Each structure stands twice: as structure tokens, then as C-alpha cells.
Amino acid sequence: MTVITSSRRVRRTPFTPGVEAAGVTSYTVYNHMLLPAQFGGFVEDYHHLKRHVQVWDVACERQVSVRGPDASRLMTLISPRDLAKMADDQCYYIPVVDRNGGMLNDPVAVKIAADHYWISIADSDFLQYVLGVSDALGLDVEAEEPDVSPLAVQGPKSDDLMARVFGDAVRDVRFFRYKRLSFEGREMIVARSGYSRQGGFEIYVDDGDYGMPLWEALFAAGEDLHVRAGCPNLIERVEGGLLSYGNDMTRANTPFEAGLGKFVNSPADYIGKAALAARPAERMIRPVAISGDLPRCDRLWHVYADGAKVGQVTSAKYSPDFNTNVAIGMIDKSHWGAGTTVEVETQDGMRDAVVQDKFWI
């Protein structure tokens, strides 16, 4: 059995005691923190997520707090998404690119105030980049990692569970919006968002001492809703085309290649703007259905057509609901059309595959 040894570099979270008591069976490491990867098994966790409600320890979604008179200027510089119309209670999914147009992260920006943002980051040392830009330009901002640990509630019964803990006002939270709601006298930002297609919320717990009391309150309130501890589910996220930065796309890819072109709309002179304009997409994220038995997709699988390499598969898993192997691929323009037949080279040999028109959910 492989064991992850915790340390100050691989940190526990405010919810780790609850995760352990719930019977976590495997972890991964994300932003130097423990991220639960499995409880009852991928398939069992998958069916439960789609039918009931789960509580996820996603404290690894670390926040980069940007605060000060130049906060808006800094945010405008680092992302090609137009933030000008972002409301004070809004969350924006924002690609972030380097000067060559390559993706550095795909975080969610949370607007706390006109001069204050939280950037909820994917797996990378993004704080260092923000500090570098800020320091190089002498911007009047304070950038730091605050004591904020997101806890997600996901699944079709999430509204009912959240209403029992935060009140019925939570039902009125719109998608990618938030409300400030109280738990045990502590006001928390509660957003309708999360890393699944089943709907739900992310609670930004901005004091670690409230972590386990909130965890326990959610489980006490949701017993009849069949609440369980869960985590982002590989099968469900691939079905829904939810991308994993560092896995499905990297700095080698532009937002256009990652299928995020609609978020490249800022009129401002952001970092990498000229480079993006000069880099049309020659490959793109596409859904791929693969035939046959699959090994674990823990490495790049090259994609071939007529003996020539035309892409790669980065995430794949068998879907019980769709009775096929669902996959995320980065496919060359010549072969990214729906219905194109290709071959995928796994560590167990070649498999036939077909590029799909759209993701499954």
C-alpha cells in the first residue's frame, strides 16, 4: 500500500479529522495539501453524488488574496477575461496566461469588494506569480494566502441540506454568485459553484477553527438526505468536461486550445494579449469515447490516425451511466471533428476511439 506522509509541506486541512472519520481510502496532493480522492470507490462515490448529497474537503483550493488600491489593475493585467462588469457578489472563472499566451492557471475569482479579490486557484504556486507581477510593477496591493478553506456541498439534494444549516436564503443564491450567510455567528461567503455538474455550493470558511463544527453540522442536518463525505469524482468530471489544470491543459496550451476562448474578451492590455492574438488554435480539448478495457490513465496516451500522432488523451474512465469509456483529449485540428475515428495508445496497447460532438453531461 502506498502512503502519503504528511508534513508542513503536505498539509492537513481544517476538515481532515472529519475526512479520516468518514473512511477516506486514498488521497492526492494538491497545492501542497491533502485532497481526498476516494471513499467507497470511484463507482460507488459516483452513483451517490448523482443521487444524493456529498460534503467535500476542497481546502486545497487555496486563495490568493489581492487587496489594495491597485487590486483591480492587477486583476485586469493577469487575465484575458473582461472583469469590468463583475458585480460585488460575483464569481468569475478566469483563465490566466503568461506573456506567450500559455495558461498558468484557471482559477475562480471572487470579488469581495472593489479593492479586494480572492483568487481560488488550481494546482500551482500561483501566489508567487501574483507577487512577481505586483512587485515588478510596484503596484499598491497586498497579496497573500489567507486562512480561507473552501468546503463544497455537491449533489441534487445540496439545496435542502444547505438550507437546514444556513437558512432558506441560500436557495436564492444564483449560479456563480454568493451571499454572506451566518454559521454560529460567523459570516461566511457561500457561492453556488463547485467542481461537479450536479449542482451545489462552496463555503469559504475563513477561520479554520470553524471547519469541523461546520462539517459536523452538515452531517447532523443531512442524515435523512443520505449525506456522505465525498470528493471530486473522476468519472463525473470527465462526463461533464470539467478540466484539470496541469493534467488536461498546461502552460503549453492557450485558452483557445483548452476550449476557453469565450473568456478571452478583455479590451485591456493584459499580459500575453499580443501573443494570444498570434496563436490560433491548432488543437483543442475534445470529448473522446474509447472502446475496450482501459488501464488507469496516469500518463499521457498518444492519439494516432493512419500512423500519425494527432493528439493525446489526458483523462479517461469507464462511465456506468453512458456505458462507454469517457475521455478528455487534446486533438489536432485535422482530426477534432465529431465522428472522427482515431486510435489511442494506452500502456496496455492500442484502443479504437471516436471524437464526440459534446461531453456527456
Side-chain angles (χ1 to χ4, degrees), residues 278-327:
R279 287 183 65 178
E282 297 298 331
R283 53 187 175 172
M284 189 175 292
I285 288 286
R286 301 296 292 145
V288 180
I290 307 176
S291 301
D293 295 332
L294 295 184
R296 181 184 295 272
C297 186
D298 57 2
R299 65 204 73 183
L300 287 180
W301 291 348
H302 296 301
V303 177
Y304 293 90
D306 299 321
K309 191 183 298 182
V310 296
Q312 61 194 31
V313 163
T314 51
S315 300
K317 197 70 177 175
Y318 177 73
S319 165
D321 282 358
F322 294 95
N323 193 31
T324 189
N325 296 308
V326 295

Side-chain angles (χ1 to χ4, degrees), residues 181-340:
L181 300 175
S182 180
F183 172 74
E184 294 188 353
R186 179 77 176 190
E187 191 177 76
M188 298 180 183
I189 285 178
V190 178
R192 189 178 290 276
S193 57
Y195 197 52
S196 86
R197 295 293 190 188
Q198 306 310 308
F201 300 86
E202 289 178 301
I203 309 158
Y204 290 80
V205 182
D206 59 352
D207 183 335
D209 289 342
Y210 284 84
M212 281 309 299
L214 176 57
W215 178 280
E216 291 167 354
L218 287 164
F219 278 87
E223 185 174 352
D224 63 317
L225 299 175
H226 304 289
V227 64
R228 275 181 42 178
C231 54
N233 184 271
L234 175 62
I235 307 170
E236 195 268 352
R237 85 159 181 88
V238 176
E239 287 178 350
L242 297 177
L243 305 183
S244 170
Y245 180 76
N247 188 56
D248 300 313
M249 74 287 201
T250 69
R251 190 180 174 193
N253 304 117
T254 69
F256 300 115
E257 293 174 342
L260 305 176
K262 66 180 179 180
F263 299 121
V264 180
N265 59 2
S266 175
D269 189 19
Y270 58 84
I271 295 170
K273 185 171 187 175
L276 273 183
R279 287 183 65 178
E282 297 298 331
R283 53 187 175 172
M284 189 175 292
I285 288 286
R286 301 296 292 145
V288 180
I290 307 176
S291 301
D293 295 332
L294 295 184
R296 181 184 295 272
C297 186
D298 57 2
R299 65 204 73 183
L300 287 180
W301 291 348
H302 296 301
V303 177
Y304 293 90
D306 299 321
K309 191 183 298 182
V310 296
Q312 61 194 31
V313 163
T314 51
S315 300
K317 197 70 177 175
Y318 177 73
S319 165
D321 282 358
F322 294 95
N323 193 31
T324 189
N325 296 308
V326 295
I328 295 173
M330 183 73 73
I331 309 298
D332 290 355
K333 185 176 183 179
S334 58
H335 289 77
W336 73 31
T340 302

Side-chain angles (χ1 to χ4, degrees), residues 134-158:
S134 173
D135 290 352
L137 298 178
L139 300 181
D140 188 2
V141 297
E142 181 179 1
E144 61 180 355
E145 180 185 311
D147 179 14
V148 177
S149 298
L151 185 68
V153 177
Q154 300 287 292
K157 300 177 183 177
S158 56

Side-chain angles (χ1 to χ4, degrees), residues 13 15-24 27 36 39 57 212 215 229:
T13 83
F15 317 111
T16 299
V19 167
E20 292 174 340
V24 63
Y27 284 108
F39 285 86
D57 174 3
M212 281 309 299
W215 178 280

Side-chain angles (χ1 to χ4, degrees), residues 34-269:
L34 293 172
L35 170 62
Q38 198 170 175
F39 285 86
F42 283 125
V43 175
E44 181 182 342
D45 293 349
Y46 161 87
H47 286 308
H48 182 272
L49 171 63
K50 286 190 165 186
R51 296 170 183 167
H52 300 294
V53 60
Q54 294 181 352
V55 179
W56 294 1
D57 174 3
V58 286
C60 65
E61 294 174 1
R62 303 313 295 162
Q63 308 303 299
V64 173
S65 173
V66 177
R67 188 172 194 168
D70 288 334
S72 293
R73 182 184 172 196
L74 177 58
M75 295 296 293
T76 298
L77 280 170
I78 65 174
S79 177
R81 183 164 184 183
D82 186 0
L83 306 181
K85 296 181 180 180
M86 189 176 184
D88 286 346
D89 66 341
Q90 200 158 12
C91 312
Y92 267 20
Y93 180 64
I94 60 168
V96 177
V97 300
D98 63 17
R99 63 181 181 175
N100 296 316
M103 291 202 44
L104 293 174
N105 207 281
D106 67 329
V108 172
V110 183
K111 189 173 183 180
I112 308 300
D115 63 349
H116 191 193
Y117 296 81
W118 287 343
I119 309 172
S120 188
I121 63 172
D123 188 20
S124 74
D125 292 315
F126 191 66
L127 173 60
Q128 310 308 318
Y129 178 72
V130 173
L131 286 169
V133 172
S134 173
D135 290 352
L137 298 178
L139 300 181
D140 188 2
V141 297
E142 181 179 1
E144 61 180 355
E145 180 185 311
D147 179 14
V148 177
S149 298
L151 185 68
V153 177
Q154 300 287 292
K157 300 177 183 177
S158 56
D159 277 61
D160 292 337
L161 176 56
M162 288 290 287
R164 294 179 184 183
V165 175
F166 287 96
D168 281 334
V170 77
R171 299 183 187 274
D172 298 327
V173 179
R174 295 159 56 193
F175 184 62
F176 263 50
R177 299 272 182 157
Y178 70 80
K179 287 184 180 289
R180 300 176 188 269
L181 300 175
S182 180
F183 172 74
E184 294 188 353
R186 179 77 176 190
E187 191 177 76
M188 298 180 183
I189 285 178
V190 178
R192 189 178 290 276
S193 57
Y195 197 52
S196 86
R197 295 293 190 188
Q198 306 310 308
F201 300 86
E202 289 178 301
I203 309 158
Y204 290 80
V205 182
D206 59 352
D207 183 335
D209 289 342
Y210 284 84
M212 281 309 299
L214 176 57
W215 178 280
E216 291 167 354
L218 287 164
F219 278 87
E223 185 174 352
D224 63 317
L225 299 175
H226 304 289
V227 64
R228 275 181 42 178
C231 54
N233 184 271
L234 175 62
I235 307 170
E236 195 268 352
R237 85 159 181 88
V238 176
E239 287 178 350
L242 297 177
L243 305 183
S244 170
Y245 180 76
N247 188 56
D248 300 313
M249 74 287 201
T250 69
R251 190 180 174 193
N253 304 117
T254 69
F256 300 115
E257 293 174 342
L260 305 176
K262 66 180 179 180
F263 299 121
V264 180
N265 59 2
S266 175
D269 189 19

